Amino acid sequence: MSRWGVRRFGLARWGPTTLALVALAVLGAPAQAQNGEIAGQVTDAVTGQPIEGVQVVIVGTTYRDRSRADGLYNLTDVPPGEHSVRAAIIGYATMTAQVNVAAGITTEVDFALNRAVVSLDAMVVTGQAGEISRREVGNTLSTISSRDFETLPTPTVSEVLQGMASGVAVMDNSGQVGAGKQIRLRGHNSVSQGNTPLVYVDGIRVSEQTMQTADEAGLQSVNPFDNINPADIERVEVIKGAAATTLYGTQASAGVIQIFTKRGSQGAPRWSVAIDQGVNTMGHLGPDKSINPTSLGMSCNLTSDPNFPADTSCPSGGSWIRSGWLQRYNLSVRGGGQTLNYFVSGRYGREEGVIGDQGQDEWSLRGNFGFSPGRTFSLAFNNNYTRRRVNWIPDGNNREGFLLNVMRGRANYTGDDGNGQILDMGLKTSINHFTTGLTTTWDPVPEITTRLNAGIDFAESDYEQDHPWGYWGYPPGRRRDEEYQARTLTLDGAGSWRARLGGAFTSLFSVGGQLYDESRYQLTAQGEEFGAPGEKLVDNAARTEAFETRFRQTNGGFFFQEQIGYKDRLFATVGLRFDGFSTFGEDYGLATYPKASLAYNISDETFWPTWWDGMKLRAAYGQSGRAPGVFDAIKTWDPVSGDEGRPAVTPANLGNPNLGPERSKEWELGFEGALFGGRAGLDFTYYNQRTVDALIPVQQIPSEGFIGSQLENVGKLENSGIEASLNVAVIQNPSFGFNFGVRYGTNDSRVLDLGGLEDIYIGWRQRIRPCTNPDGTPSAEAERQLEYRNKVECPVPGFWHDVVTNDSAPGFTAPGTEPDMQERYLGPSYPTDLLGLTVQFQFGNWLTLDAVGEGQFGHVLSSGVAYQNTRREVWPECYEIRAKWDEAAASGGSSAARAALNAWEKAKCIDSYTSYGMWIDDADFFRLRTLSATVRLPGRLIPGTRSALLLLQARNLFTITDFVGIDPEASEEGGTNEVLLRQEYYNLPPYRSFIVSLRFDF
């Protein structure tokens, strides 16, 4: 038997498995006698380790396979003759070999791939009608493979994205375990319809809207796509902006994130086991330790600060903060035969937060099955179910918020009852999330490929809030229950015909269409005033009420696209999408979205220098949209109580039969390439995006009977910026390797027109104001900014508030000067500059060190903690100033007090002067997101293992910031993707994690 045969059929290495999996593994049929096989192994050219997931294809045919965990691949039923076989995967240079196949013979071809930070021959899907090589794509595309994060502590998909792709902002928001994160791609292009990117998993659209609660728990949210187990992910593709998302139609203007999970492969069952154990911790909270030694009351048995006396309900450890235990267990198996393959995985996790019983339990199951009865036809059936249960603590802006009461010390709401009673409130969210999809591919001839995706994503959450009977905040007791359901149906089909036009020209014509049907359901019930302690239901209360919301919307569209290629180096693409949406006005009709792109692989020209391996120039233009809400285009009425309690209605929404989608028009220019034998990779993009027909709430004429606002397509917004990345493999040899990557992105957002409105107030001192009038002249806001600034900024959104204007720094004016407080623009609410850093050191074949850092800059944030504590005279930074004020007031009255301090000191720290504006501060930060050490253990330690790894991991290890409040990422909105505003207001900041992991492959 050949070397391949020994590896391929080594049945002695099979571990125990179920009868079902054994049946799947043996269903493969042997190769037909008249044809041959191509088989081999793909390895890293430097380390010699096998590479999983490499696509091995016979060029120009549908014969393809992906290498398994041991690097093996197998192409069966190959016709005899000369063939060109190509091995390609992101992160390695593509390699091609010429193979002569003989009937009835297995031809062995091994590939030893060199690392390359850019691979223009790697296959991609997102934003295209089908799978094509990266060299053909004219728009920017970020790809994150499992190798980029498999050694990092990334328990959620959102954390996979942090710092790993330019132009992607992922903000932590909350330090509660299970809380969602806010994701933005290239800023905001809508002021009313959300800015969340679309999310697809294995071609099936999943709900991107967060499931949230908004009451005594604060505003907490859970991202549905975070229910996906990162250990199941093969790669993530991210496209940003309308130039790349035209084929996805309406709702795609904020970008698209597509997640591809692992699949089965031919061969014996391959088992993988991972065990994670660790702790979550919280560092110092609030201002620097030099002025805040008690961490704003979190050390609850200390009496050195009279503003934070000892609390009788304090835990025995003397602090409200604890170390929470983290544990996760992953088990997966993959394998199959020539006809049927499978990937099955399961995960269980339990994670404790850093305060009280906050934390979550989670388990998930995945089953991906592939069926290929013939060379031209295949089915992929992908399924995932996740169950999560999250316990919250009351947080944020509410009188029962835990940090609000602890950090206000003697000025809190609980008084002598003790802050510990706050934790007696029961706040729980239970989530069930199921996604299933069937992908059918039929390639009748090598020139024609077809694909059809059909599936359903169903997510439901049940939120329970329970005030116990006798609770300090509500003694009669109260119970609230919210049931939320989101269901999305996907039907997505496309076909492509690739033809040679003669000579050096090729054609790729594509046609396709999509249908999405979404429904949402929410039922809220609340009961108050219970007669006795014990378990309770809503209908046991003396007073009950209920609220119900239901809606459904449907989106359908189709597209045509033509790509002309020249000598496999120049590709020009044009396309047109037609889209209908159930929420358009009845007179609007179809929306049309054109696209055009150009990709020029200039490095294929003979004049290109040999040391510059690859270079692609690209340009793209495209349009996409964002639909109005379900009821925005129709006339609606609100119920009211009429005379003598009779039911009545009052006008609500006027309705607009011509209401259509917001339309984002974007063009981008860029290049990507590799240098020095693939050791260095460059990627650069400039983009300019303008949203026209933006949906703006316009005030109606009261004389017509409607006093509210109606959405109209009258606004204009603009986003522009650059995205750049540099990845360098500095040293590559078997004994030592050093790699680093830098990703940088900017976003300058401008409001150009609000349909004549001068201002849209969105809350928490944040506004949206235009830079220009409808006639193009500078707006009043622009003229105001020019009076005191060197430039004009009109971001979506920004902070405007009263600040002292006669003092730019402490000591600038003379003592006794009264503050002159005026409204000023203080800065954008979201970062304008994003920085991502990755570093890797490799020591031989036994130790690898990885680090990922992320910085967000250029924005400001309001610290509600600092402002409210200052008003209550319990903010440590103001103790000294406040003492001077009190001393002067005691000795000489109010006039003497004024004489003791200057304008800045009074405006900052004296409660009768201060404002939120004085506590809006630069929120720049750099955070070490992840740090890990991977030790490859000798295989002989555990008999039967193919590989064994020990990982030491840390997350959010340290943060560099000058922000005056608790944390520059903490947000009142708890990670809700749908809102624009941001505000720090007694929110638990992101926590640190330290994890030890063991991973085994059998």
Side-chain angles (χ1 to χ4, degrees):
M1 182 176 288
S2 68
R3 174 168 59 90
W4 160 252
V6 172
R7 293 184 299 190
R8 174 67 176 82
F9 298 105
L11 300 182
R13 301 181 62 187
W14 283 29
T17 186
T18 62
L19 291 176
L21 295 181
V22 171
L24 290 173
V26 300
L27 281 176
Q32 298 180 16
Q34 66 270 26
N35 290 332
E37 290 188 2
I38 302 175
Q41 185 179 38
V42 187
T43 59
D44 187 298
V46 175
T47 66
Q49 292 298 310
I51 307 174
E52 182 180 8
V54 179
Q55 185 175 73
V56 183
V57 58
I58 298 179
V59 179
T61 75
T62 58
Y63 292 87
R64 63 187 59 195
D65 191 19
R66 289 183 183 270
S67 61
R68 297 177 288 282
D70 53 10
L72 300 179
Y73 74 92
N74 184 217
L75 301 173
T76 61
D77 196 22
V78 179
E82 190 77 17
H83 297 284
S84 180
V85 182
R86 183 174 61 202
I89 188 173
I90 294 173
Y92 286 87
T94 301
M95 188 173 180
T96 303
Q98 296 301 122
V99 181
N100 190 2
V101 176
I105 301 298
T106 297
T107 303
E108 294 189 21
V109 181
D110 292 337
F111 294 93
L113 303 185
N114 288 297
R115 290 185 180 271
V117 292
V118 173
S119 177
L120 296 179
D121 291 313
M123 307 301 289
V124 295
V125 173
T126 308
Q128 308 302 319
E131 190 176 56
I132 65 174
S133 69
R134 194 181 180 103
R135 65 170 38 242
E136 302 174 60
V137 179
N139 55 263
T140 182
L141 171 67
S142 298
T143 303
I144 306 170
S145 71
S146 59
R147 294 182 306 282
D148 296 324
F149 60 83
E150 62 187 0
T151 61
L152 302 176
T154 51
T156 67
V157 178
S158 298
E159 291 168 344
V160 168
L161 298 173
Q162 286 182 318
M164 301 297 285
S166 60
V168 180
V170 183
M171 310 189 83
D172 264 356
N173 299 293
S174 174
Q176 296 210 51
V177 171
K181 295 174 174 56
Q182 193 177 69
I183 300 177
R184 292 290 184 268
L185 310 180
R186 291 184 177 173
H188 302 95
N189 55 23
S190 177
V191 301
S192 63
Q193 301 304 302
N195 293 273
T196 307
L198 297 183
V199 180
Y200 290 79
V201 179
D202 294 322
I204 305 302
R205 183 168 161 182
V206 303
S207 175
E208 74 278 3
Q209 303 298 322
T210 53
M211 298 177 286
Q212 66 188 55
T213 64
D215 48 27
E216 281 77 3
L219 184 51
Q220 298 298 336
S221 67
V222 178
N223 286 337
F225 55 87
D226 275 341
N227 295 327
I228 302 169
N229 182 0
D232 294 343
I233 296 176
E234 181 179 277
R235 74 183 190 280
V236 180
E237 294 180 359
V238 181
I239 55 176
K240 298 153 284 190
T245 60
T246 297
L247 297 190
Y248 295 93
T250 307
Q251 301 299 81
S253 59
V256 175
I257 299 173
Q258 186 141 216
I259 301 166
F260 300 89
T261 61
K262 296 177 180 177
R263 293 173 288 179
S265 58
Q266 293 186 41
R270 301 288 182 174
W271 294 85
S272 294
V273 179
I275 302 172
D276 301 341
Q277 301 291 308
V279 295
N280 295 324
T281 67
M282 183 67 69
H284 184 84
L285 297 182
D288 188 80
K289 292 182 180 180
S290 62
I291 59 173
N292 174 38
T294 63
S295 192
L296 284 180
M298 302 310 294
S299 299
C300 48
N301 63 355
L302 298 179
T303 58
S304 58
D305 187 341
N307 291 312
F308 296 93
D311 191 326
T312 57
S313 60
C314 180
S316 59
S319 174
W320 293 113
I321 298 177
R322 65 169 185 174
S323 294
W325 181 26
L326 178 156
Q327 53 178 320
R328 288 192 295 265
Y329 308 91
N330 278 279
L331 175 65
S332 66
V333 61
R334 69 196 307 176
Q338 180 179 330
T339 304
L340 198 60
N341 61 70
Y342 57 88
F343 172 81
V344 179
S345 72
R347 175 172 76 163
Y348 170 75
R350 178 178 177 83
E351 189 171 355
E352 297 175 345
V354 297
I355 294 178
D357 65 350
Q358 201 280 307
Q360 74 171 358
D361 290 281
E362 172 188 19
W363 62 268
S364 65
L365 293 172
R366 171 169 295 278
N368 292 348
F369 304 93
F371 177 57
S372 301
R375 174 61 60 185
T376 62
F377 182 76
S378 66
L379 295 172
F381 188 40
N382 302 315
N383 309 271
N384 186 76
Y385 173 73
T386 299
R387 167 76 173 177
R388 295 172 67 186
R389 184 175 178 87
V390 185
N391 290 339
W392 308 105
I393 62 170
D395 197 20
N397 183 22
N398 69 89
R399 68 186 297 267
E400 297 171 358
F402 184 75
L403 262 65
L404 182 146
N405 283 279
V406 168
M407 291 186 171
R408 288 184 180 180
R410 58 178 172 80
N412 66 8
Y413 289 106
T414 62
D416 295 334
D417 290 327
N419 293 319
Q421 287 199 17
I422 298 175
L423 301 178
D424 293 337
M425 188 193 306
L427 302 169
K428 299 180 177 65
T429 301
S430 298
I431 302 163
N432 292 289
H433 191 183
F434 176 68
T435 305
T436 183
L438 178 66
T439 299
T440 302
T441 59
W442 180 48
D443 305 332
V445 294
E447 295 79 13
I448 297 178
T449 62
T450 65
R451 166 189 54 81
L452 179 65
N453 293 331
I456 181 172
D457 178 75
F458 179 80
E460 67 171 4
S461 69
D462 182 21
Y463 169 68
E464 301 175 67
Q465 176 207 108
D466 187 5
H467 289 81
W469 194 79
Y471 181 76
W472 72 271
Y474 202 88
R478 177 165 56 180
R479 178 174 174 82
R480 179 186 180 96
D481 189 89
E482 294 181 7
E483 183 178 347
Y484 173 86
Q485 293 181 355
R487 188 264 300 152
T488 303
L489 298 176
T490 299
L491 185 63
D492 179 359
S496 297
W497 176 30
R498 188 181 293 270
R500 187 164 295 278
L501 300 180
F505 290 93
T506 59
S507 167
L508 179 62
F509 176 74
S510 302
V511 61
Q514 293 83 25
L515 179 67
Y516 305 110
D517 187 87
E518 301 177 69
S519 66
R520 300 290 184 268
Y521 162 73
Q522 185 168 355
L523 179 64
T524 301
Q526 182 168 298
E528 300 180 352
E529 299 182 6
F530 292 83
E535 298 292 332
K536 52 184 176 290
L537 298 174
V538 169
D539 61 1
N540 299 146
R543 294 190 297 121
T544 61
E545 56 183 344
F547 311 92
E548 183 179 16
T549 301
R550 293 176 183 268
F551 72 82
R552 178 184 176 186
Q553 59 187 20
T554 303
N555 171 213
F558 57 96
F559 66 86
F560 301 93
Q561 179 173 287
E562 170 64 21
Q563 179 193 95
I564 300 295
Y566 174 71
K567 291 186 176 180
D568 197 34
R569 68 187 60 168
L570 178 64
F571 300 92
T573 305
V574 294
L576 185 63
R577 163 103 184 187
F578 300 88
D579 227 34
F581 213 103
S582 61
T583 64
F584 292 171
E586 59 182 10
D587 295 337
Y588 181 80
L590 294 178
T592 57
Y593 304 111
K595 69 170 290 187
S597 68
L598 187 68
Y600 179 29
N601 296 270
I602 192 172
S603 57
D604 289 351
E605 302 290 355
T606 55
F607 61 76
W608 195 254
T610 57
W611 56 269
W612 197 315
D613 308 289
M615 171 59 71
K616 181 181 73 173
L617 308 179
R618 44 181 166 76
Y621 171 83
Q623 297 184 17
S624 188
R626 178 71 70 170
V630 175
F631 304 107
D632 291 338
I634 61 177
K635 183 176 294 185
T636 60
W637 307 82
D638 284 340
V640 295
S641 179
D643 294 340
E644 299 179 358
R646 294 188 180 95
V649 295
T650 186
N653 195 56
L654 179 62
N656 181 357
N658 296 311
L659 196 67
E662 300 179 322
R663 185 180 297 272
S664 293
K665 304 177 179 181
E666 182 181 69
W667 59 271
E668 63 176 44
L669 300 171
F671 62 84
E672 57 189 283
L675 300 84
F676 310 121
R679 291 177 177 268
L682 294 168
D683 195 304
F684 177 85
T685 302
Y686 171 80
Y687 66 90
N688 183 280
Q689 179 187 94
R690 178 167 291 196
T691 299
V692 299
D693 298 333
L695 292 164
I696 304 298
V698 177
Q699 188 71 35
Q700 299 304 297
I701 302 174
S703 61
E704 296 183 357
F706 289 83
I707 61 175
S709 60
Q710 164 67 48
L711 284 184
E712 296 183 9
N713 296 107
V714 294
K716 292 182 181 179
L717 313 174
E718 185 177 69
N719 283 289
S720 61
I722 64 169
E723 296 165 353
S725 65
L726 170 65
N727 296 281
V728 181
V730 181
I731 302 174
Q732 279 188 325
N733 60 61
S735 59
F736 179 72
F738 170 48
N739 309 302
F740 75 86
V742 181
R743 299 166 187 84
Y744 179 69
T746 67
N747 178 261
D748 178 23
S749 66
R750 295 171 61 86
V751 184
L752 302 179
D753 190 3
L754 293 179
L757 294 179
E758 294 185 0
D759 183 278
I760 296 178
Y761 181 70
I762 63 174
W764 282 115
R765 290 80 190 170
Q766 290 162 86
R767 302 177 182 275
I768 300 172
R769 289 179 170 172
C771 290
T772 57
N773 296 313
D775 61 2
T777 60
S779 65
E781 172 58 32
E783 293 177 349
R784 283 194 296 268
Q785 288 192 33
L786 285 173
E787 291 180 3
Y788 63 92
R789 305 177 77 242
N790 295 325
K791 61 179 180 178
V792 176
E793 292 181 346
C794 304
V796 186
F799 278 94
W800 277 263
H801 212 280
D802 293 339
V803 295
V804 60
T805 59
N806 60 334
D807 208 343
S808 61
F812 183 79
T813 58
T817 305
E818 290 295 289
D820 180 13
M821 305 292 286
Q822 297 182 24
E823 184 186 80
R824 289 286 189 264
Y825 166 69
L826 301 176
S829 306
Y830 284 80
T832 60
D833 298 78
L834 301 172
L835 175 67
L837 298 175
T838 57
V839 178
Q840 182 184 80
F841 294 93
Q842 183 174 328
F843 300 89
N845 195 29
W846 67 277
L847 175 63
T848 303
L849 303 178
D850 290 280
V852 177
E854 183 184 29
Q856 300 184 8
F857 311 99
H859 61 307
V860 299
L861 183 64
S862 171
S863 175
V865 178
Y867 169 71
Q868 293 291 0
N869 276 33
T870 296
R871 292 182 59 231
R872 290 161 176 78
E873 303 177 20
V874 291
W875 187 244
E877 187 175 346
C878 287
Y879 283 175
E880 184 176 344
I881 294 175
R882 185 73 207 191
K884 292 180 180 179
W885 174 271
D886 292 340
E887 179 183 354
S891 61
S894 60
S895 60
R898 294 190 182 98
L901 302 171
N902 62 36
W904 186 92
E905 292 169 321
K906 294 173 185 177
K908 189 78 170 178
C909 290
I910 305 306
D911 56 297
S912 57
Y913 291 100
T914 193
S915 71
Y916 268 106
M918 295 302 298
W919 295 101
I920 294 175
D921 193 25
D922 289 342
D924 297 350
F925 72 89
F926 179 84
R927 178 161 279 159
L928 183 59
R929 292 294 189 189
T930 59
L931 180 66
S932 69
T934 304
V935 181
R936 186 174 298 276
L937 303 176
R940 61 180 179 274
L941 290 180
I942 301 179
T945 60
R946 292 182 291 113
S947 67
L949 301 177
L950 169 66
L951 294 91
L952 307 177
Q953 306 168 321
R955 181 165 184 82
N956 293 332
L957 198 57
F958 68 82
T959 303
I960 301 173
T961 184
D962 291 328
F963 180 64
V964 70
I966 293 178
D967 189 273
E969 276 193 291
S971 173
E972 160 68 9
E973 298 307 318
T976 306
N977 273 320
E978 293 75 28
V979 299
L980 281 173
L981 60 88
R982 289 186 62 81
Q983 168 75 8
E984 181 245 51
Y985 201 97
Y986 298 102
N987 310 104
L988 197 65
Y991 53 86
R992 294 193 302 253
S993 298
F994 299 91
I995 307 169
V996 178
S997 301
L998 285 172
R999 302 183 185 181
F1000 304 99
D1001 290 330
F1002 296 91

